[in-house]
Amino acid sequence: MVKTMFDKNFNKVLEKADYIYGRHKKNKGDSWRTLPIDSHADGVREEYEEWHDEYRKTLKALRNNDKLQAREFEENQFYELIDLMNRCMMYAEVIRLRMEARKDG
């Protein structure tokens, strides 16, 4: 069985995600709450594409046996994944708020 960073630590992963989301909200204010839903979807797609580009660069560097460059691209992947996670969490929160409004209305 392959061990992953999530083994027996998933609560820590969720706590870290919540921390990142909180920091992102603090820096952005509440303006993200009023964006149209399609803006959130576009933001998720853009962040995914940025991560995927770094992923492809990492693979290319590995194929070229350029380990230093591969490490740099891999580090960039980390930051792009954090951005993607933030976007997904904001999008999910907007959807959750809309669901609650429908229940109350």
Side-chain angles (χ1 to χ4, degrees):
M1 184 167 120
V2 176
K3 286 192 79 134
T4 69
M5 63 185 257
F6 303 116
D7 290 347
K8 299 180 184 176
N9 291 314
F10 198 66
N11 285 339
K12 290 179 184 178
V13 173
L14 292 177
E15 288 172 13
K16 184 59 82 173
D18 189 50
Y19 170 77
I20 292 165
Y21 174 62
R23 297 293 304 162
H24 193 72
K25 281 192 339 184
K26 180 180 178 186
N27 294 335
K28 293 271 185 181
D30 281 340
S31 62
W32 60 272
R33 289 177 183 257
T34 59
L35 288 175
I37 201 84
D38 59 332
S39 292
H40 286 287
D42 287 343
V44 168
R45 181 188 46 77
E46 288 171 13
E47 294 299 343
Y48 171 81
E49 288 173 356
E50 289 174 12
W51 163 78
H52 194 257
D53 186 48
E54 295 300 323
Y55 171 72
R56 291 177 55 206
K57 289 177 186 176
T58 303
L59 293 178
K60 184 177 179 182
L62 288 171
R63 279 192 304 269
N64 294 334
N65 205 26
D66 188 344
K67 293 179 183 177
L68 181 61
Q69 192 171 43
R71 279 190 217 119
E72 289 175 22
F73 291 134
E74 188 174 62
E75 185 175 314
N76 292 342
Q77 280 187 68
F78 171 78
Y79 294 112
E80 293 303 337
L81 285 169
I82 296 297
D83 289 343
L84 177 59
M85 186 168 52
N86 283 329
R87 285 293 201 151
C88 288
M89 292 178 80
M90 287 188 291
Y91 189 15
E93 179 66 3
V94 168
I95 291 171
R96 187 189 68 77
L97 291 171
R98 290 171 70 147
M99 289 168 43
E100 282 184 0
R102 284 192 292 265
K103 287 180 189 175
D104 295 339

